[in-house]
């Protein structure tokens, strides 16, 4: 069904893009300064992304829908939305859910590989190793070897992508249970939806935790194309590596503390606060604690963002959930107080361009409340969700025939010589 919908939409999208290139192909989208070259390419418009956009003052917009308008939808619905631009009707949704159930079984070799890894491996390392090991079953890779036409690339990317999304929850749940001695693997329950089944396989009971997983796996799904994980994943995919290799590459980027690992760092920080003060501190005490951390040259995790200049709506959605479901919890109350304390501190320090909380500031406190206390597991949850966005972006890029990524780099010597050349030209003109 998804195939059919995309097969109808893709030619229209291709026509639109052809027309944009034809009409506006020479239009400039911006200038690039020398500081941007040394500054992580911040702000350079260098690629397109159809699945979502991040507005500095509004945050994530998924296929035209501001995030806070669609927090009620399920992860499967958001996956469908990312891929097609529309929300599924009941039939389309249950068809996608059926496909995810059909492909949820994890090959035995994955368990063997994971079991052979050192006991103290980081859960993110285990996850990406497991995902890339499934390259051996990639339809895209084998069809490419057979010599399929370019126009079919997206179809096999989607086939692999659905399998990857279907299996990633079982793999992630096993990593949790094995790595943290929670007991044997729990078999999937086909009466549950994708996120409910994941909660079940983790072995954490309760409807509220299932609701949290539904929200969590929906909120982290995508954040346009230029963030480290999406960009790395897409760059690898642009070389026509399979979705398994490409998503694993993106998730290795998500495992960095300035990106997705910030959610584990953030809860670590909140627990440090709680342990230091033996409970929730006063705002004055919290302020001093933050200053001490900054004075030691450390960042306040969960605050700041490369693009956003407002409180992250994903943070807002988690805080709303916490207010509704969690009462009188020290950890959640520290997270709420940090919202009052950190932005003015960061503003006074004057370095961070965005003093507001990002997605990672609140999520950990909710997971902790429901008993998921192993915070070095948190980025795995982020990864499950982000796999959907990466797959959707890869399917679309392949359907649109976006070529291999290859920006040009320059040396400092080139910049200096260019300055001299332009300087001379300017002087001769004057
Ligand atoms: N605490 C202290 N200092 C901060 C800060 C924070 N939360 N956020 C930014 N700064 C500092 C930067 O370290 C930088 O300092 P230097 O000039 O000394 O290098 C300065 O402010 C300017 O940085 P910026 O331009 O505002 O921010 P960047 O675009 O360079 O980086 C980051 C964005 C998210 C990496 C940054 O804000 C940060 O390190 N935040 C804390 C870690 C974090 O929460 N990461 C998760 C981000 C969301 C995400 O991707 N999740 O996956």
């Amino acid at each position: 069904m998804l195939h059919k919908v995309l097969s109808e939409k893709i030619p229209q999208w291709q026509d639109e893009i052809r027309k944009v290139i034809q009409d506006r192909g020479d239009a400039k989208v911006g200038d690039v300064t020398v500081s941007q070259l040394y500054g992580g390419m911040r702000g350079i418009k260098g690629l397109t992304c159809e699945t979502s956009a991040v507005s500095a003052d509004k945050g994530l917009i998924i296929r035209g829908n501001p995030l806070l308008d669609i927090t009620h939808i399920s992860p499967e619905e958001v996956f469908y939305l990312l891929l097609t631009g529309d929300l599924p009707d009941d039939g389309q949704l249950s068809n996608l859910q059926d496909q995810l159930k059909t492909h949820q079984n994890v090959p035995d070799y994955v368990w063997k590989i994971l079991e052979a890894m050192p006991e103290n491996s980081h859960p993110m390392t285990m996850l990406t190793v497991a995902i890339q090991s499934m390259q051996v079953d990639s339809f895209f890779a084998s069809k490419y070897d057979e010599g399929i036409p370019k126009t079919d690339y997206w179809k096999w990317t989607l086939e692999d992508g659905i399998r990857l999304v279907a299996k990633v929850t079982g793999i992630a749940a096993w990593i949790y249970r094995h790595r943290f001695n929670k007991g044997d693997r729990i078999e999937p329950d086909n009466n549950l939806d994708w996120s409910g089944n994941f909660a079940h396989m983790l072995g954490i009971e309760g409807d509220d935790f299932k609701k949290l997983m539904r929200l969590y796996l929906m909120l982290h799904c995508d954040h346009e194309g230029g963030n480290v994980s999406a960009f790395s994943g897409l760059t690898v995919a642009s070389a026509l590596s399979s979705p398994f290799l490409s998503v694993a590459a993106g998730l290795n980027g998500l495992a960095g503390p300035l990106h997705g690992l910030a959610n584990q760092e953030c809860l670590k920080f909140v627990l440090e606060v709680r342990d230091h003060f033996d409970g929730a501190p006063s705002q004055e005490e919290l302020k001093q604690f933050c200053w001490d951390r900054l004075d030691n040259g450390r960042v306040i995790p969960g605050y700041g963002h490369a693009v956003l200049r407002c409180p992250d709506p994903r943070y807002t959605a988690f805080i709303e959930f916490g207010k509704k479901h969690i009462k009188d919890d020290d950890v959640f109350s520290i997270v709420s107080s940090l919202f009052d304390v950190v932005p003015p501190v960061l503003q006074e320090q004057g370095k961070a361009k965005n003093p507001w909380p990002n997605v990672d500031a609140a999520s950990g406190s909710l997971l902790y409340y429901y008993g998921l206390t192993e915070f070095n597991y948190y980025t795995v949850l982020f990864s499950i969700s982000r796999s959907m966005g990466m797959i959707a972006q890869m399917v679309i890029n392949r359907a649109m025939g976006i070529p291999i990524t290859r920006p040009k780099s320059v040396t400092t010597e080139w910049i200096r010589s260019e300055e001299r050349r332009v300087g001379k030209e300017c002087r001769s003109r004057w």
Side-chain angles (χ1 to χ4, degrees):
M1 224 178 227
L2 195 46
H3 256 264
K4 190 167 169 287
V5 171
L6 281 170
S7 299
E8 282 160 16
K9 283 182 175 261
I10 283 168
Q12 295 165 26
W13 293 341
Q14 286 167 336
D15 278 351
E16 278 167 32
I17 289 178
R18 258 193 296 272
K19 189 150 182 7
V20 166
I21 297 173
Q22 201 183 328
D23 296 348
R24 314 215 48 220
D26 292 329
K28 265 175 80 166
V29 290
D31 293 315
V32 180
T33 64
V34 169
S35 356
Q36 284 175 306
L37 299 190
Y38 290 101
M41 300 195 280
R42 202 73 80 260
I44 298 177
K45 294 186 185 76
L47 63 157
T48 59
C49 172
E50 311 299 342
T51 53
S52 67
V54 178
S55 134
D57 57 348
K58 293 195 189 73
L60 177 60
I61 297 168
I62 300 178
R63 291 285 197 173
N65 300 280
L67 182 77
L68 291 177
D69 292 353
I70 53 166
T71 50
H72 58 282
I73 69 174
S74 68
E76 297 96 312
E77 283 171 297
V78 88
F79 187 31
Y80 192 97
L81 176 64
L82 288 165
L83 278 162
T84 65
D86 295 322
L87 279 167
D89 61 26
D90 289 348
Q92 290 162 333
L93 176 61
S94 68
N95 180 273
L96 174 59
Q97 290 176 321
D98 287 347
Q99 286 193 59
L100 293 174
K101 280 175 192 162
T102 306
H103 298 299
Q104 71 193 350
N105 286 342
V106 177
D108 272 345
Y109 63 78
V110 174
W111 307 132
K112 290 192 182 115
I113 289 168
L114 290 175
E115 275 162 8
M117 290 183 74
E119 285 297 312
N120 60 349
S121 300
H122 193 283
M124 278 301 287
T125 314
M126 299 176 91
L127 182 72
T128 58
V129 165
I131 290 176
Q132 71 173 337
S133 74
M134 294 191 292
Q135 153 77 7
V136 69
D137 292 325
S138 165
F139 279 99
F140 177 82
S142 62
K143 292 286 170 190
Y144 183 82
D145 277 350
E146 282 171 24
I148 50 166
K150 265 185 172 185
T151 44
D152 281 355
Y153 287 173
W154 71 265
K155 295 178 186 158
W156 300 105
T157 304
L158 180 64
E159 282 302 323
D160 278 355
I162 286 176
R163 283 165 177 75
L164 193 158
V165 171
K167 293 176 200 312
V168 73
T169 44
I171 294 172
W174 185 92
I175 292 172
Y176 178 68
R177 296 190 63 76
H178 175 82
R179 178 67 177 69
F180 301 107
N181 301 318
K182 301 286 176 186
D184 292 339
R185 190 166 83 229
I186 299 174
E187 290 303 320
D189 175 350
N190 280 339
N191 295 315
L192 296 167
D193 63 10
W194 185 68
S195 59
N197 206 5
F198 174 57
H200 157 77
M201 290 189 285
L202 282 174
I204 301 177
E205 296 304 329
D207 280 350
D208 282 355
F209 182 70
K210 286 197 177 69
K211 281 184 197 146
L212 176 61
M213 282 301 100
R214 179 183 156 104
L215 180 67
Y216 196 112
L217 297 186
M218 183 268 162
L219 287 184
H220 289 79
C221 63
D222 203 39
H223 219 228
E224 66 170 43
N227 64 77
V228 167
S229 48
F231 188 59
S232 319
L234 286 174
T235 301
V236 173
S238 80
L240 297 183
S241 299
S242 78
F244 296 101
L245 297 182
S246 309
V247 169
L251 296 182
N252 280 323
L254 197 72
L258 294 187
H259 193 14
L261 205 77
N263 62 7
Q264 89 167 45
E265 299 293 303
C266 194
L267 188 69
K268 214 193 293 175
F269 168 63
V270 174
L271 296 182
E272 261 169 51
V273 172
R274 185 199 59 182
D275 295 346
H276 184 82
F277 295 102
D278 200 16
S282 70
Q283 293 216 342
E284 256 330 291
E285 289 170 320
L286 196 51
K287 188 173 166 188
Q288 191 53 50
F289 195 87
C290 292
W291 270 116
D292 290 346
R293 189 173 166 105
L294 292 176
D295 290 342
N296 281 327
R298 300 177 70 191
V299 297
I300 309 285
Y303 281 77
H305 201 272
V307 177
L308 292 174
R309 297 295 177 258
C310 65
D312 190 330
R314 299 170 298 176
Y315 166 86
T316 310
F318 277 133
I319 289 289
E320 295 298 315
F321 184 97
K323 283 186 186 153
K324 197 164 156 200
H325 295 277
I326 295 182
K327 294 196 175 59
D328 305 326
D329 178 62
D330 272 354
V331 175
F332 186 66
S333 116
I334 295 171
V335 167
S336 304
S337 302
L338 282 167
F339 181 73
D340 298 321
V341 170
V342 176
V345 167
L346 286 177
Q347 272 160 337
E348 196 180 329
Q349 192 207 29
K351 278 169 66 173
K353 293 190 189 69
N354 174 40
W356 301 109
N358 59 55
V359 62
D360 297 322
S363 55
S365 63
L366 304 180
L367 298 169
Y368 197 81
Y369 177 83
Y370 288 107
L372 212 168
T373 56
E374 297 80 5
F375 44 82
N376 58 353
Y377 184 73
Y378 291 176
T379 312
V380 171
L381 303 174
F382 195 148
S383 305
I384 296 174
S385 179
R386 190 49 65 88
S387 309
M388 294 189 290
M390 282 196 266
I391 293 293
Q393 292 195 31
M394 283 170 206
V395 168
I396 291 164
N397 278 12
R398 287 198 177 158
M400 296 305 116
I402 306 288
I404 188 165
T405 304
R406 182 45 166 105
K408 176 85 186 89
S409 62
V410 295
T411 62
T412 301
E413 183 44 40
W414 181 89
I415 293 173
R416 286 212 204 94
S417 64
E418 190 68 0
E419 271 167 7
R420 284 197 293 273
R421 191 182 64 75
V422 174
K424 256 191 229 144
E425 273 175 18
C426 289
R427 273 196 297 278
S428 62
R429 242 183 279 139
W430 294 331

